[in-house]
Structure formats: C-alpha cells, structure tokens
Amino acid sequence: MGVADGISRAARIASKYFVVWVIAAAGLALVSPTTFVPVLDYVNPLLGIIMLGMGLTLQPADFQRLVERPVDVGIGAITQWLAMPLAAYALYLLFDLPEAVGVGLILVGAAPGGTASNVMTYLGRGDVALSVAITTVTTLAAPIVMPAWTLFILGEAIDVTFMEMFTSIVQIVIIPVVFGFGVRYALDRYSPTAAEIGVDVFPVISVAAIVAIVAGVVGANVDNILTAGALVLAAVVLHNGIGLGAGYGVGRAFGMTTDRVRTTTFEVGLQNSGLAVALAASLFDPAAALIPALFSVWHNVSGPALASYFTWSDDRATSGPVAAD
C-alpha cells in the first residue's frame, strides 16, 4: 500500500466513524472537563483550518453551477436562511431557554451549510453538485446573514455589534475558504497528485479539529449539561428535525426531482455548527457554545440515519416484490 492509499484509507475511517470520535470525546470531557477546556482558546484557528479544508474541495466548476442552476440553488439557500433561524427563535421561546444558551440556538439557526450536508447528500444519493453550490452560497453570505439574524432576534439582549460578528466570520470562514480555493486551483494546474493528497488529508484534520472543539465546549459546560441537559437536547433534536422536514417539504412543493429533494433536505437541516461554536466561544458566554456543540453530535447521527434510509428505500424500490414459488 502506497502513502497516498494509506492517507485515503485513514480519511475514510475518520469520516465513517466521525460520530464515534465526537461522542467519545464528549464523554471524556464530562469525566475530566479541565483537560479539554483549554481547547476553547484555539477555537477560531481550529475552525479556520476546517474552512481551509472546505476551500480545498472547491473548484471553478462549483461556481459555474451557480450560474447554470440558479433556481434550485436559490430555493435551497432561501429555505435555509428562513426556516432554521425562525425555528430556532420559536424553540427559544417555547422552551424558555436561558439567554446565554439561547444565543447558541440562534447562531446555529443562522449558520450556513457545512461539509456534513455535502457528505450526507452523497451518501443519500442526492445531487452532490447542487449541494456544494448551496453550501458555497450560504457560506459566502454568512458574514451578512448570521449577524443580521442574530441581532434581529436578540437585539439589545446582546452586546456584540454587527461589525464584530461580520469581521469574525470573514476572518475564520471567508479568508480560509478563499485561500483554500486558491491553493486547490494552483495544485490542480501544477501538481494534481498533491491536490488529491490534500483533499484526502484535510478530512482527517477537520475531524480532529471538530472533535477537539466539541470536547472543549462540553468540558466548559458540564454544569449546564447536567442541569438543563434534557431540555437543551430536545431543542437540538427538534431544530434539526424541523430543518430536515422543511428542506424535504419545500423541495417536494417546488417539484424537484428526488435527488434534489434529498439535497435540499440535508442542506437545510445540517448546519455549520462548528462556526456557531466558534462565534459563541469567542464573542459570547461559554454557555452559548453548548447547543452548537450538541448539534455537531446530533446532526452526525440524524444525517447518516436519513441517508441510510434513502439508500434503503432506493434499493427496496429497485429490487421489487419477491415472487411467490
């Protein structure tokens, strides 16, 4: 086995068992919180590395799709921009969450799509090209959308300004993504082999970074988890479910093909919760990072489960009924 094959195999293992690593790290953080709390000092650079990896997956053809398929991309993006923030606000009021915790729920709702939606779209036999296009649009719009929704919903309840959030998102999302895209473009032209290795390496790095961030947030919020755990978890599960349902329903309502309906389902329901964690930890109370961290765990359970259901339903439909002897 060559080096490249070994890297690819490690990347597949890291991605396949991602939720296992996250749950294990969260469990260790509950047992020994002081071990992982210092990770919070490095949330922004860790997320920057994750977004750099996302940039490396982008190619010029991905931006061409925005021109070729503007309607479907717009439907997916607008549904996410409306359904998830409004659902977050409704759950915030319904559960009467503490303000510090509620901020995290709003941040998740206003966050763009993440790479998880692209992966789940692929596993669930959706339209991967459309998924990447929607994720790209919502990510590039994040510096405007996230501060706008957060300040519109919470208003004077928070001390952070629009420009502070805008600047933070540009620094930890837009700049790394653009840089990663530039590196990928150069490598594709001058060293395709290095480009392939880079695309394989960064999923492993991204998994490690997300696991570390989740562990840090859980370690810093042990008391909150023990006192409000069930309520917070219910908010996370319902929020994710509403997003998945909204994406599926809107796709069906607009008459999309099955693969594109699945794409909008994952794009709306699976958020870049790592970005929400980073903003919560750097701009707000540490408790604000609790819901985004739990969302990171949960949507990596619900996403694969739904993708598996989609593929199972496809296989069942193609196999047809078994004839009797």
Side-chain angles (χ1 to χ4, degrees):
M1 180 185 296
V3 174
D5 291 337
I7 292 174
S8 296
R9 185 170 183 272
R12 288 194 297 271
I13 292 174
S15 300
K16 182 177 181 179
Y17 298 104
F18 174 68
V19 68
V20 175
W21 315 136
V22 170
I23 292 174
L28 290 173
L30 286 173
V31 175
S32 180
T34 56
T35 303
F36 299 95
V37 170
V39 173
L40 295 182
D41 294 332
Y42 305 97
V43 167
N44 285 0
L46 286 171
L47 185 66
I49 291 172
I50 295 169
M51 300 314 297
L52 173 64
M54 177 181 173
L56 284 171
T57 67
L58 296 177
Q59 296 176 292
D62 296 320
F63 294 94
Q64 182 65 30
R65 295 186 189 103
L66 304 183
V67 178
E68 296 173 348
R69 307 161 71 173
V71 175
D72 287 347
V73 173
I75 290 171
I78 292 171
T79 303
Q80 185 188 69
W81 287 333
L82 293 178
M84 291 302 277
L86 292 175
Y89 185 45
L91 292 169
Y92 172 55
L93 297 177
L94 177 64
F95 289 117
D96 192 23
L97 295 172
E99 185 178 293
V101 176
V103 168
L105 183 60
I106 303 302
L107 287 173
V108 170
T115 53
S117 62
N118 308 147
V119 174
M120 295 310 136
T121 296
Y122 170 73
L123 295 177
R125 298 175 184 171
D127 188 329
V128 178
L130 176 61
S131 176
V132 172
I134 296 173
T135 298
T136 301
V137 168
T138 56
T139 298
L140 295 178
I144 302 295
V145 174
M146 288 192 76
W149 267 117
T150 303
L151 295 174
F152 176 75
I153 292 175
L154 298 175
E156 297 180 357
I158 58 175
D159 297 326
V160 179
T161 66
F162 181 96
M163 189 52 63
E164 286 175 321
M165 290 189 69
F166 177 89
T167 302
S168 293
I169 297 171
V170 168
Q171 290 174 343
I172 62 181
V173 175
I174 303 302
I175 292 176
V177 166
V178 172
F179 181 71
F181 172 75
V183 171
R184 174 66 183 274
Y185 181 78
L187 289 176
D188 280 340
R189 293 190 63 184
Y190 301 109
S191 183
T193 301
E196 292 178 6
I197 293 175
V199 171
D200 283 336
V201 166
F202 263 89
V204 180
I205 297 174
S206 295
V207 166
I210 294 172
V211 168
I213 290 172
V214 170
V217 171
V218 170
N221 287 279
V222 171
D223 292 338
N224 289 322
I225 292 173
L226 296 178
T227 56
L231 197 63
V232 168
L233 183 59
V236 168
V237 172
L238 285 173
H239 193 205
N240 175 236
I242 290 170
L244 294 171
Y248 185 87
V250 168
R252 284 293 186 208
F254 278 92
M256 290 184 177
T257 57
T258 298
D259 61 338
R260 295 186 182 184
V261 169
R262 294 176 181 182
T263 300
T264 57
T265 299
F266 289 121
E267 282 298 321
V268 176
L270 307 183
Q271 304 290 81
N272 188 342
S273 49
L275 173 58
V277 168
L279 291 177
S282 61
L283 298 176
F284 300 95
D285 188 286
L290 177 58
I291 281 183
L294 292 177
F295 198 97
S296 293
V297 178
W298 175 250
H299 81 174
N300 282 290
V301 174
S302 65
L306 185 57
S308 296
Y309 171 76
F310 284 149
T311 56
W312 172 81
S313 63
D314 285 346
D315 294 341
R316 185 182 182 192
T318 55
S319 64
V322 178
D325 291 334

